[in-house]
Short mmCIF file of all heavy atoms in Angstrom, two decimals:
data_model
loop_
_atom_site.label_atom_id
_atom_site.label_comp_id
_atom_site.label_asym_id
_atom_site.label_seq_id
_atom_site.Cartn_x
_atom_site.Cartn_y
_atom_site.Cartn_z
N MET D 1 99.15 92.14 89.36
CA MET D 1 98.72 91.49 90.68
C MET D 1 99.57 91.99 91.82
O MET D 1 100.75 91.78 91.69
CB MET D 1 98.65 89.98 90.58
CG MET D 1 98.32 89.32 91.97
SD MET D 1 98.28 87.47 91.83
CE MET D 1 96.61 87.20 91.19
N LEU D 2 99.06 92.49 92.83
CA LEU D 2 99.85 92.87 93.98
C LEU D 2 99.34 92.14 95.25
O LEU D 2 98.24 92.12 95.58
CB LEU D 2 99.65 94.41 94.25
CG LEU D 2 100.46 95.02 95.34
CD1 LEU D 2 101.92 94.89 95.14
CD2 LEU D 2 100.04 96.51 95.59
N VAL D 3 100.22 91.48 95.93
CA VAL D 3 99.94 90.72 97.10
C VAL D 3 100.50 91.27 98.39
O VAL D 3 101.62 91.81 98.41
CB VAL D 3 100.50 89.19 96.87
CG1 VAL D 3 100.13 88.34 98.09
CG2 VAL D 3 100.04 88.62 95.58
N THR D 4 99.73 91.20 99.41
CA THR D 4 100.22 91.59 100.74
C THR D 4 99.74 90.43 101.73
O THR D 4 98.75 89.80 101.50
CB THR D 4 99.75 92.95 101.26
OG1 THR D 4 98.27 92.94 101.08
CG2 THR D 4 100.23 94.09 100.40
N VAL D 5 100.53 90.26 102.72
CA VAL D 5 100.16 89.31 103.83
C VAL D 5 100.20 89.99 105.13
O VAL D 5 100.92 90.93 105.39
CB VAL D 5 101.15 88.05 103.77
CG1 VAL D 5 100.99 87.26 102.50
CG2 VAL D 5 102.56 88.50 104.05
N ASP D 6 99.27 89.52 106.05
CA ASP D 6 99.25 90.07 107.39
C ASP D 6 99.87 88.99 108.38
O ASP D 6 99.15 87.93 108.66
CB ASP D 6 97.80 90.38 107.73
CG ASP D 6 97.70 91.05 109.13
OD1 ASP D 6 98.66 90.95 109.93
OD2 ASP D 6 96.65 91.74 109.24
N GLN D 7 101.11 89.17 108.69
CA GLN D 7 101.70 88.14 109.58
C GLN D 7 101.11 88.08 110.96
O GLN D 7 101.25 87.03 111.56
CB GLN D 7 103.24 88.41 109.60
CG GLN D 7 103.97 88.25 108.31
CD GLN D 7 105.40 88.49 108.35
OE1 GLN D 7 105.84 89.44 108.95
NE2 GLN D 7 106.17 87.63 107.63
N ASP D 8 100.43 89.14 111.37
CA ASP D 8 99.80 89.06 112.70
C ASP D 8 98.49 88.15 112.67
O ASP D 8 98.12 87.61 113.69
CB ASP D 8 99.40 90.49 113.14
CG ASP D 8 100.64 91.29 113.44
OD1 ASP D 8 101.62 90.70 113.84
OD2 ASP D 8 100.56 92.53 113.33
N LYS D 9 97.90 88.06 111.49
CA LYS D 9 96.75 87.19 111.36
C LYS D 9 97.08 85.74 111.15
O LYS D 9 96.35 84.85 111.41
CB LYS D 9 95.83 87.68 110.21
CG LYS D 9 94.94 88.87 110.48
CD LYS D 9 94.02 89.11 109.33
CE LYS D 9 93.21 90.31 109.51
NZ LYS D 9 92.35 90.57 108.22
N CYS D 10 98.28 85.59 110.48
CA CYS D 10 98.61 84.18 110.04
C CYS D 10 98.62 83.16 111.19
O CYS D 10 99.12 83.46 112.30
CB CYS D 10 99.95 84.28 109.41
SG CYS D 10 100.67 82.68 108.93
N VAL D 11 98.05 81.98 110.89
CA VAL D 11 98.01 80.95 111.99
C VAL D 11 98.91 79.78 111.60
O VAL D 11 98.76 78.59 112.11
CB VAL D 11 96.64 80.51 112.30
CG1 VAL D 11 95.75 81.68 112.96
CG2 VAL D 11 95.88 79.97 111.01
N SER D 12 99.78 80.01 110.62
CA SER D 12 100.77 79.01 110.23
C SER D 12 100.31 77.71 109.71
O SER D 12 100.92 76.66 109.87
CB SER D 12 101.75 78.70 111.44
OG SER D 12 102.22 79.94 112.07
N SER D 13 99.17 77.74 109.05
CA SER D 13 98.55 76.51 108.55
C SER D 13 99.30 75.90 107.31
O SER D 13 99.13 74.76 106.98
CB SER D 13 97.05 76.75 108.21
OG SER D 13 96.97 77.54 106.99
N GLY D 14 99.97 76.85 106.52
CA GLY D 14 100.79 76.30 105.38
C GLY D 14 99.98 76.21 104.08
O GLY D 14 100.53 75.72 103.07
N GLN D 15 98.70 76.46 104.09
CA GLN D 15 97.92 76.31 102.81
C GLN D 15 98.42 77.23 101.69
O GLN D 15 98.38 76.80 100.50
CB GLN D 15 96.42 76.66 103.15
CG GLN D 15 95.78 75.77 104.11
CD GLN D 15 95.76 74.37 103.73
OE1 GLN D 15 95.50 74.05 102.55
NE2 GLN D 15 96.17 73.42 104.55
N CYS D 16 99.00 78.35 102.07
CA CYS D 16 99.53 79.19 100.99
C CYS D 16 100.62 78.55 100.32
O CYS D 16 100.76 78.58 99.08
CB CYS D 16 99.95 80.59 101.56
SG CYS D 16 100.96 80.40 103.00
N VAL D 17 101.60 77.96 101.04
CA VAL D 17 102.77 77.25 100.48
C VAL D 17 102.33 76.03 99.65
O VAL D 17 102.85 75.86 98.58
CB VAL D 17 103.71 76.92 101.59
CG1 VAL D 17 104.99 76.21 100.97
CG2 VAL D 17 104.22 78.17 102.35
N LEU D 18 101.33 75.31 100.07
CA LEU D 18 100.81 74.20 99.36
C LEU D 18 100.28 74.58 98.02
O LEU D 18 100.44 73.84 97.00
CB LEU D 18 99.79 73.45 100.22
CG LEU D 18 100.34 72.65 101.41
CD1 LEU D 18 99.08 72.09 102.19
CD2 LEU D 18 101.22 71.54 100.99
N ASN D 19 99.66 75.74 98.01
CA ASN D 19 99.09 76.13 96.74
C ASN D 19 99.94 76.91 95.84
O ASN D 19 99.81 76.89 94.56
CB ASN D 19 97.77 77.09 97.07
CG ASN D 19 96.57 76.25 97.44
OD1 ASN D 19 95.88 75.75 96.57
ND2 ASN D 19 96.38 76.11 98.71
N ALA D 20 100.95 77.71 96.41
CA ALA D 20 101.74 78.54 95.58
C ALA D 20 103.15 78.66 96.23
O ALA D 20 103.52 79.66 96.84
CB ALA D 20 101.17 79.88 95.34
N MET D 21 103.90 77.64 96.10
CA MET D 21 105.24 77.50 96.82
C MET D 21 106.21 78.61 96.29
O MET D 21 107.22 78.90 96.89
CB MET D 21 105.83 76.17 96.81
CG MET D 21 106.21 75.73 95.42
SD MET D 21 106.83 74.05 95.21
CE MET D 21 107.40 73.60 96.87
N GLU D 22 105.94 79.05 95.01
CA GLU D 22 106.86 80.01 94.42
C GLU D 22 106.66 81.40 95.05
O GLU D 22 107.58 82.28 95.01
CB GLU D 22 106.58 80.13 92.89
CG GLU D 22 106.88 78.86 92.16
CD GLU D 22 105.62 77.92 92.10
OE1 GLU D 22 104.63 78.26 92.74
OE2 GLU D 22 105.62 76.94 91.34
N VAL D 23 105.47 81.62 95.57
CA VAL D 23 105.08 82.96 96.02
C VAL D 23 105.21 83.15 97.49
O VAL D 23 105.46 84.20 98.08
CB VAL D 23 103.64 83.32 95.50
CG1 VAL D 23 103.17 84.72 96.04
CG2 VAL D 23 103.57 83.23 94.00
N PHE D 24 104.95 82.04 98.18
CA PHE D 24 104.85 82.06 99.72
C PHE D 24 105.88 81.11 100.26
O PHE D 24 106.15 79.97 99.70
CB PHE D 24 103.43 81.71 100.16
CG PHE D 24 102.43 82.62 99.67
CD1 PHE D 24 101.65 82.22 98.58
CD2 PHE D 24 102.08 83.83 100.22
CE1 PHE D 24 100.59 83.02 98.04
CE2 PHE D 24 101.10 84.67 99.76
CZ PHE D 24 100.33 84.26 98.61
N ASP D 25 106.32 81.38 101.51
CA ASP D 25 107.13 80.53 102.33
C ASP D 25 106.70 80.71 103.75
O ASP D 25 105.87 81.59 104.02
CB ASP D 25 108.58 80.86 102.18
CG ASP D 25 109.53 79.68 102.50
OD1 ASP D 25 109.03 78.71 103.04
OD2 ASP D 25 110.76 79.84 102.38
N GLN D 26 107.26 79.80 104.65
CA GLN D 26 106.92 80.05 106.03
C GLN D 26 108.21 80.10 106.78
O GLN D 26 109.18 79.42 106.52
CB GLN D 26 106.14 78.71 106.49
CG GLN D 26 104.76 78.66 105.95
CD GLN D 26 104.08 77.42 106.50
OE1 GLN D 26 104.16 76.38 105.79
NE2 GLN D 26 103.33 77.47 107.55
N ARG D 27 108.18 80.93 107.84
CA ARG D 27 109.43 81.14 108.67
C ARG D 27 109.75 79.83 109.34
O ARG D 27 108.81 79.03 109.87
CB ARG D 27 109.15 82.17 109.81
CG ARG D 27 109.01 83.57 109.27
CD ARG D 27 109.28 84.63 110.37
NE ARG D 27 108.31 84.50 111.45
CZ ARG D 27 107.73 85.59 112.03
NH1 ARG D 27 107.85 86.83 111.52
NH2 ARG D 27 106.84 85.45 112.95
N ASP D 28 111.03 79.53 109.43
CA ASP D 28 111.47 78.26 110.01
C ASP D 28 111.07 78.15 111.42
O ASP D 28 110.65 77.13 111.95
CB ASP D 28 113.03 78.16 109.89
CG ASP D 28 113.50 77.91 108.47
OD1 ASP D 28 112.65 77.49 107.68
OD2 ASP D 28 114.66 78.19 108.18
N GLU D 29 111.14 79.27 112.19
CA GLU D 29 111.00 79.15 113.60
C GLU D 29 109.49 79.06 114.09
O GLU D 29 109.23 78.33 115.07
CB GLU D 29 111.60 80.44 114.33
CG GLU D 29 111.03 81.73 113.97
CD GLU D 29 111.79 82.37 112.78
OE1 GLU D 29 112.27 81.65 111.87
OE2 GLU D 29 111.83 83.56 112.78
N ASP D 30 108.56 79.59 113.35
CA ASP D 30 107.18 79.51 113.84
C ASP D 30 106.16 79.23 112.70
O ASP D 30 104.99 79.23 112.99
CB ASP D 30 106.81 80.82 114.69
CG ASP D 30 106.95 82.04 113.80
OD1 ASP D 30 107.31 81.98 112.60
OD2 ASP D 30 106.97 83.16 114.38
N GLY D 31 106.62 79.10 111.48
CA GLY D 31 105.73 78.81 110.43
C GLY D 31 104.85 79.98 109.85
O GLY D 31 104.01 79.79 109.08
N VAL D 32 105.15 81.18 110.34
CA VAL D 32 104.33 82.34 109.89
C VAL D 32 104.77 82.65 108.43
O VAL D 32 105.95 82.51 108.05
CB VAL D 32 104.64 83.55 110.75
CG1 VAL D 32 104.14 84.83 110.10
CG2 VAL D 32 103.97 83.31 112.12
N VAL D 33 103.78 83.08 107.64
CA VAL D 33 104.02 83.26 106.27
C VAL D 33 104.99 84.32 105.91
O VAL D 33 105.18 85.30 106.65
CB VAL D 33 102.59 83.70 105.58
CG1 VAL D 33 102.16 85.02 106.13
CG2 VAL D 33 102.65 83.71 104.13
N GLU D 34 105.79 84.06 104.82
CA GLU D 34 106.64 85.06 104.33
C GLU D 34 106.29 85.15 102.78
O GLU D 34 106.10 84.17 102.12
CB GLU D 34 108.16 84.60 104.41
CG GLU D 34 108.59 84.49 105.85
CD GLU D 34 110.08 84.15 105.89
OE1 GLU D 34 110.46 83.06 105.26
OE2 GLU D 34 110.85 84.84 106.52
N LEU D 35 106.28 86.41 102.36
CA LEU D 35 105.90 86.69 100.96
C LEU D 35 107.17 86.75 100.17
O LEU D 35 108.08 87.59 100.39
CB LEU D 35 105.14 87.99 100.90
CG LEU D 35 104.63 88.40 99.57
CD1 LEU D 35 103.66 87.33 98.97
CD2 LEU D 35 103.90 89.79 99.67
N LEU D 36 107.33 85.83 99.14
CA LEU D 36 108.55 85.78 98.32
C LEU D 36 108.40 86.67 97.04
O LEU D 36 109.40 87.26 96.64
CB LEU D 36 108.83 84.38 97.85
CG LEU D 36 108.99 83.35 99.01
CD1 LEU D 36 109.20 81.94 98.33
CD2 LEU D 36 110.22 83.72 99.86
N ILE D 37 107.13 86.80 96.53
CA ILE D 37 106.95 87.56 95.23
C ILE D 37 105.73 88.49 95.51
O ILE D 37 104.61 88.00 95.37
CB ILE D 37 106.77 86.70 94.08
CG1 ILE D 37 107.88 85.62 94.01
CG2 ILE D 37 106.74 87.56 92.81
CD1 ILE D 37 107.69 84.64 92.77
N PRO D 38 105.99 89.77 95.84
CA PRO D 38 104.81 90.63 96.08
C PRO D 38 104.10 90.99 94.80
O PRO D 38 102.86 91.28 94.93
CB PRO D 38 105.52 91.90 96.56
CG PRO D 38 106.89 91.49 97.01
CD PRO D 38 107.34 90.34 96.22
N GLU D 39 104.68 90.84 93.62
CA GLU D 39 103.98 91.08 92.35
C GLU D 39 104.07 89.87 91.48
O GLU D 39 104.89 89.85 90.50
CB GLU D 39 104.48 92.38 91.71
CG GLU D 39 104.23 93.69 92.46
CD GLU D 39 104.66 94.85 91.80
OE1 GLU D 39 104.28 95.00 90.59
OE2 GLU D 39 105.22 95.68 92.41
N PRO D 40 103.35 88.83 91.70
CA PRO D 40 103.48 87.55 90.93
C PRO D 40 103.05 87.82 89.44
O PRO D 40 102.01 88.58 89.24
CB PRO D 40 102.55 86.62 91.55
CG PRO D 40 102.28 87.27 92.90
CD PRO D 40 102.41 88.67 92.85
N GLY D 41 103.81 87.23 88.58
CA GLY D 41 103.42 87.28 87.21
C GLY D 41 102.16 86.42 86.81
O GLY D 41 101.69 85.67 87.70
N PRO D 42 101.81 86.55 85.55
CA PRO D 42 100.60 85.79 85.14
C PRO D 42 100.72 84.31 85.37
O PRO D 42 99.74 83.61 85.67
CB PRO D 42 100.40 86.06 83.65
CG PRO D 42 101.29 87.32 83.45
CD PRO D 42 102.25 87.39 84.53
N GLU D 43 101.88 83.77 85.35
CA GLU D 43 102.10 82.30 85.45
C GLU D 43 101.74 81.82 86.90
O GLU D 43 101.58 80.69 87.05
CB GLU D 43 103.59 81.96 85.08
CG GLU D 43 104.64 82.48 85.97
CD GLU D 43 105.17 83.86 85.64
OE1 GLU D 43 104.34 84.72 85.19
OE2 GLU D 43 106.38 84.13 85.86
N TYR D 44 101.73 82.74 87.89
CA TYR D 44 101.49 82.42 89.22
C TYR D 44 100.19 82.98 89.73
O TYR D 44 99.83 82.75 90.90
CB TYR D 44 102.57 82.91 90.14
CG TYR D 44 103.94 82.32 89.84
CD1 TYR D 44 105.06 83.16 89.92
CD2 TYR D 44 104.22 80.99 89.58
CE1 TYR D 44 106.44 82.72 89.60
CE2 TYR D 44 105.41 80.53 89.30
CZ TYR D 44 106.51 81.38 89.30
OH TYR D 44 107.74 80.94 89.03
N ALA D 45 99.42 83.62 88.88
CA ALA D 45 98.20 84.38 89.30
C ALA D 45 97.19 83.42 89.90
O ALA D 45 96.71 83.72 90.96
CB ALA D 45 97.66 85.16 88.13
N GLN D 46 96.86 82.36 89.19
CA GLN D 46 95.81 81.44 89.65
C GLN D 46 96.18 80.73 90.97
O GLN D 46 95.41 80.58 91.89
CB GLN D 46 95.41 80.49 88.61
CG GLN D 46 94.06 79.73 88.94
CD GLN D 46 92.92 80.74 89.25
OE1 GLN D 46 92.60 81.64 88.45
NE2 GLN D 46 92.28 80.48 90.39
N LYS D 47 97.50 80.30 90.96
CA LYS D 47 97.96 79.67 92.18
C LYS D 47 97.82 80.57 93.34
O LYS D 47 97.53 80.22 94.48
CB LYS D 47 99.37 79.25 92.01
CG LYS D 47 99.74 78.07 91.15
CD LYS D 47 101.18 77.96 91.10
CE LYS D 47 101.61 76.50 90.70
NZ LYS D 47 103.07 76.29 90.87
N THR D 48 98.18 81.87 93.18
CA THR D 48 98.15 82.87 94.27
C THR D 48 96.67 83.11 94.68
O THR D 48 96.46 83.19 95.92
CB THR D 48 98.78 84.20 93.69
OG1 THR D 48 100.13 83.88 93.31
CG2 THR D 48 98.90 85.20 94.89
N ARG D 49 95.81 83.16 93.76
CA ARG D 49 94.32 83.28 94.14
C ARG D 49 93.89 82.07 94.93
O ARG D 49 93.19 82.21 95.91
CB ARG D 49 93.47 83.43 92.85
CG ARG D 49 93.68 84.72 92.18
CD ARG D 49 92.66 84.85 90.97
NE ARG D 49 93.09 85.89 90.05
CZ ARG D 49 93.56 85.57 88.88
NH1 ARG D 49 93.64 84.34 88.42
NH2 ARG D 49 94.06 86.58 88.04
N ASN D 50 94.34 80.91 94.50
CA ASN D 50 93.96 79.67 95.27
C ASN D 50 94.52 79.75 96.71
O ASN D 50 93.83 79.32 97.65
CB ASN D 50 94.56 78.43 94.54
CG ASN D 50 93.84 78.21 93.18
OD1 ASN D 50 92.77 78.76 92.90
ND2 ASN D 50 94.44 77.46 92.41
N ALA D 51 95.72 80.30 96.84
CA ALA D 51 96.32 80.29 98.15
C ALA D 51 95.60 81.25 99.01
O ALA D 51 95.23 80.97 100.23
CB ALA D 51 97.77 80.83 98.06
N ALA D 52 95.15 82.38 98.47
CA ALA D 52 94.39 83.32 99.28
C ALA D 52 93.01 82.77 99.68
O ALA D 52 92.55 82.95 100.83
CB ALA D 52 94.19 84.65 98.50
N ALA D 53 92.43 82.05 98.71
CA ALA D 53 91.12 81.39 99.03
C ALA D 53 91.20 80.31 100.12
O ALA D 53 90.30 80.13 100.89
CB ALA D 53 90.45 80.84 97.76
N ALA D 54 92.34 79.68 100.15
CA ALA D 54 92.54 78.59 101.10
C ALA D 54 93.05 79.01 102.50
O ALA D 54 93.02 78.23 103.40
CB ALA D 54 93.60 77.60 100.52
N CYS D 55 93.45 80.25 102.55
CA CYS D 55 94.04 80.70 103.84
C CYS D 55 92.84 80.69 104.93
O CYS D 55 92.03 81.53 104.76
CB CYS D 55 94.69 81.98 103.67
SG CYS D 55 95.23 82.68 105.23
N PRO D 56 93.05 79.99 105.94
CA PRO D 56 91.97 79.97 107.00
C PRO D 56 91.87 81.20 107.81
O PRO D 56 90.83 81.53 108.42
CB PRO D 56 92.34 78.74 107.87
CG PRO D 56 93.75 78.62 107.73
CD PRO D 56 94.09 79.06 106.32
N ALA D 57 92.96 82.02 107.79
CA ALA D 57 92.98 83.25 108.55
C ALA D 57 92.72 84.54 107.83
O ALA D 57 92.67 85.62 108.35
CB ALA D 57 94.42 83.38 109.20
N LEU D 58 92.43 84.37 106.49
CA LEU D 58 92.18 85.53 105.56
C LEU D 58 93.33 86.49 105.71
O LEU D 58 93.15 87.73 105.76
CB LEU D 58 90.85 86.20 105.88
CG LEU D 58 89.61 85.36 105.86
CD1 LEU D 58 88.38 86.17 106.18
CD2 LEU D 58 89.48 84.71 104.37
N ALA D 59 94.55 85.89 105.73
CA ALA D 59 95.76 86.76 105.97
C ALA D 59 96.48 87.24 104.64
O ALA D 59 97.41 87.92 104.73
CB ALA D 59 96.81 86.00 106.76
N ILE D 60 95.81 86.78 103.47
CA ILE D 60 96.47 87.05 102.18
C ILE D 60 95.45 88.08 101.46
O ILE D 60 94.30 87.67 101.23
CB ILE D 60 96.70 85.79 101.40
CG1 ILE D 60 97.58 84.92 102.14
CG2 ILE D 60 97.25 86.14 100.00
CD1 ILE D 60 97.77 83.54 101.48
N HIS D 61 96.06 89.21 101.03
CA HIS D 61 95.24 90.16 100.29
C HIS D 61 95.79 90.29 98.89
O HIS D 61 96.94 90.38 98.69
CB HIS D 61 95.19 91.49 101.05
CG HIS D 61 94.32 92.55 100.35
ND1 HIS D 61 92.92 92.44 100.30
CD2 HIS D 61 94.65 93.65 99.61
CE1 HIS D 61 92.52 93.48 99.62
NE2 HIS D 61 93.52 94.21 99.20
N ILE D 62 94.89 90.32 97.92
CA ILE D 62 95.27 90.46 96.51
C ILE D 62 94.57 91.62 95.91
O ILE D 62 93.37 91.77 96.03
CB ILE D 62 94.90 89.12 95.73
CG1 ILE D 62 95.65 88.00 96.25
CG2 ILE D 62 95.12 89.41 94.21
CD1 ILE D 62 95.25 86.71 95.62
N GLU D 63 95.34 92.46 95.20
CA GLU D 63 94.80 93.50 94.29
C GLU D 63 95.06 93.03 92.86
O GLU D 63 96.27 92.85 92.58
CB GLU D 63 95.44 94.89 94.61
CG GLU D 63 94.97 95.52 95.93
CD GLU D 63 95.66 96.83 96.01
OE1 GLU D 63 95.71 97.67 95.13
OE2 GLU D 63 96.15 97.08 97.15
N GLU D 64 94.14 92.90 92.08
CA GLU D 64 94.26 92.49 90.67
C GLU D 64 94.72 93.61 89.84
O GLU D 64 94.43 94.78 90.06
CB GLU D 64 92.97 91.82 90.21
CG GLU D 64 92.57 90.60 90.90
CD GLU D 64 93.34 89.38 90.51
OE1 GLU D 64 94.07 89.40 89.62
OE2 GLU D 64 93.08 88.36 91.20
S1 SF4 B 101 97.57 79.88 104.44
FE1 SF4 B 101 97.17 81.74 105.69
S2 SF4 B 101 97.36 81.18 107.87
FE2 SF4 B 101 98.23 79.53 106.66
S3 SF4 B 101 100.48 79.99 106.53
FE3 SF4 B 101 99.60 80.90 104.74
S4 SF4 B 101 99.10 83.01 105.31
FE4 SF4 B 101 99.40 81.92 107.20
#
């Protein structure tokens, strides 16, 4: 699984962190998404998919 995020689209809602805190974080200053693990292992795969599905800005892209 390969994950990319578009920080220009992110609206700082935090849904990604709520769903997969191991994979995503938010910048302290403005809440914009930060990608912690670009290639999450199987143990984080479903959480990462949930995060992408929950993102209101469609800012998370996954290649399986
Ligand atoms: S869920 Fe989407 S819009 Fe919200 S912080 Fe994460 S990447 Fe940004």
Side-chain angles (χ1 to χ4, degrees):
M1 170 181 279
L2 181 63
V3 180
T4 53
V5 295
D6 186 339
Q7 292 181 319
D8 292 332
K9 282 187 181 174
C10 176
V11 295
S12 308
S13 70
Q15 295 303 312
C16 51
V17 177
L18 287 176
N19 281 278
M21 65 183 338
E22 300 87 351
V23 179
F24 302 98
D25 199 358
Q26 289 177 274
R27 289 199 301 227
D28 288 339
E29 61 269 33
D30 56 10
V32 167
V33 65
E34 292 182 310
L35 185 58
L36 301 177
I37 309 179
E39 296 186 45
E43 69 273 34
Y44 300 137
Q46 191 55 52
K47 285 178 156 189
T48 303
R49 290 186 200 105
N50 293 344
C55 176
L58 302 179
I60 300 169
H61 181 70
I62 294 176
E63 285 180 47
E64 297 282 355

